[in-house]
Amino acid sequence: MGKLLCDSTTVAESFQGSSPIVPWKDPKSAPLEAIKAVDLVNQTSISAVNDSWDDVIGLEEQQRRHLQRFQSKGVLWKPPEDEHSSTLRSVVFRLSHGGEVSADGNCLFTASQKAMCGEIDARDLRKRTVSRFLEDLGSATFQERESIDDAIRHMYSPDLRNGWGVHVVQEVKLLASKGDRVALDSAIDELVHLGMQREMAAESIYKERCTPVNDGPSWAKYMLISGSPDDEHDIITLQYTEEGLLSVDENREGHAAAFGDDIAIECLATEFKREIYVVQAHGSDAMVDEENCVFFLPHRPRSQILEPPIFLFMKGTGWCGAGADHYEPLIAQPCSLASPEKVAIVL
């Protein structure tokens, strides 16, 4: 699963200015100067991709129509105009669905692995993401670190006095060392024996003894968690409504993994020196009109761009979590272009 901020620029602005959302648009004609720059490549057979948009479950008809155009007409990507990307050429990509990935909390990294058609293991991608974050955090200014910490607190340790106009349920994430589990259980049991309700006792002990995810170092520990026995920490999730504590997910089996977020995506982009476009498809109950039910959310690396972009897909039918909470791969096939009218969108 994945998680996006309601204000998607918050995290990006912590390191640098973020690109604006690119809404879907089917122009009558793309800019001629952009078309002339297209690096024509012999089109790879679309049949190499098994999953057409007709086969993807959970899509509404309006979403499917737009996505089919991205596959049939293609999207034009133009590299940024700077000295570092001068060797890159504009390319038209046909975007096809890359297949389902497991919704085990690791989907950002599994989907990225498939989208890059690489041999890097999804867990290695997670580790490289965190390493990149820590390296960049070490060179950040005091003001930048404050902004990063604020964004992390917003996502994982929210102020429960606010935010209820947007969220019905808010979550607080805590990190429990695997070696502390016995001591934590003992402390909870003591409070229960004194007459405290189990969930209230668990909330009290976890908040007192576990590490909140509220700054850069704690985010790094959190994002390393893949739901594996090799993890150093378990994720504890406290859920709240406006009335108070709703539930305590103690994750006793240790299978919960840290969902990829905007920070992780930008770290991946920086690590591989490639833009990552999240193509979001929102359903009719997400309160969007048909023209804007599919849009491109770009995440740019905090350094030069040396490779073509990566495309990921998020689909959803509700407003919670910005309309979607699961990443899937998109296969971007470079193709030749016969006329400007065949471009579905210019990025």
Side-chain angles (χ1 to χ4, degrees), residues 167-217:
H167 303 284
V168 177
V169 176
Q170 296 195 71
E171 293 184 346
V172 173
K173 298 290 186 181
L174 302 170
L175 304 179
S177 173
K178 287 183 179 289
D180 292 341
R181 274 295 196 176
V182 173
L184 290 169
D185 286 344
S186 177
I188 293 170
D189 288 341
E190 286 184 13
L191 293 182
V192 172
H193 290 155
L194 292 174
M196 185 177 290
Q197 185 182 357
R198 172 76 192 185
E199 283 197 338
M200 301 299 292
E203 177 199 27
S204 176
I205 294 301
Y206 289 140
K207 289 179 71 173
E208 176 186 341
R209 302 194 183 188
C210 294
T211 303
V213 182
N214 60 7
D215 59 13

Side-chain angles (χ1 to χ4, degrees), residues 21-236:
I21 290 174
V22 182
W24 181 88
K25 188 177 181 181
D26 186 12
K28 291 189 176 5
S29 61
L32 189 57
E33 63 272 14
I35 301 303
K36 290 179 179 178
V38 172
D39 187 15
L40 298 180
V41 182
N42 289 333
Q43 181 176 339
T44 304
S45 174
I46 296 288
S47 62
V49 180
N50 294 326
D51 291 286
S52 72
W53 290 110
D54 288 332
D55 301 323
V56 179
I57 62 174
L59 291 177
E60 297 179 1
E61 191 56 37
Q62 61 182 10
Q63 298 168 320
R64 204 180 304 275
R65 283 197 299 269
H66 293 336
L67 294 165
Q68 285 171 336
R69 292 190 183 187
F70 298 150
Q71 184 169 356
S72 62
K73 292 188 174 185
V75 300
L76 173 62
W77 175 75
K78 298 189 293 182
E81 298 179 358
D82 59 51
E83 59 183 29
H84 298 296
S85 57
S86 59
T87 59
L88 294 175
R89 302 286 303 277
S90 296
V91 184
V92 174
F93 293 104
R94 297 185 189 274
L95 300 183
S96 304
H97 189 249
E100 296 285 342
V101 298
S102 178
D104 60 356
N106 296 294
C107 61
L108 169 62
F109 306 101
T110 307
S112 297
Q113 176 194 26
K114 290 190 175 183
M116 290 188 287
C117 301
E119 299 179 355
I120 302 175
D121 180 78
R123 288 186 64 191
D124 289 337
L125 278 181
R126 183 185 283 275
K127 292 177 181 178
R128 288 180 64 171
T129 297
V130 173
S131 295
R132 170 53 54 192
F133 172 81
L134 290 173
E135 183 174 338
D136 290 347
L137 186 68
S139 60
T141 66
F142 176 78
Q143 290 77 12
E144 288 171 337
R145 290 178 69 103
E146 279 196 325
S147 296
I148 294 166
D149 290 348
D150 286 344
I152 292 169
R153 279 193 294 271
H154 174 81
M155 287 190 286
Y156 302 113
S157 294
D159 182 353
L160 297 176
R161 296 168 298 180
N162 301 305
W164 299 112
V166 176
H167 303 284
V168 177
V169 176
Q170 296 195 71
E171 293 184 346
V172 173
K173 298 290 186 181
L174 302 170
L175 304 179
S177 173
K178 287 183 179 289
D180 292 341
R181 274 295 196 176
V182 173
L184 290 169
D185 286 344
S186 177
I188 293 170
D189 288 341
E190 286 184 13
L191 293 182
V192 172
H193 290 155
L194 292 174
M196 185 177 290
Q197 185 182 357
R198 172 76 192 185
E199 283 197 338
M200 301 299 292
E203 177 199 27
S204 176
I205 294 301
Y206 289 140
K207 289 179 71 173
E208 176 186 341
R209 302 194 183 188
C210 294
T211 303
V213 182
N214 60 7
D215 59 13
S218 59
W219 181 91
K221 293 178 182 178
Y222 169 75
M223 195 52 61
L224 277 175
I225 299 174
S226 62
S228 162
D230 298 331
D231 295 332
E232 294 183 10
H233 297 87
D234 289 333
I235 299 172
I236 306 295

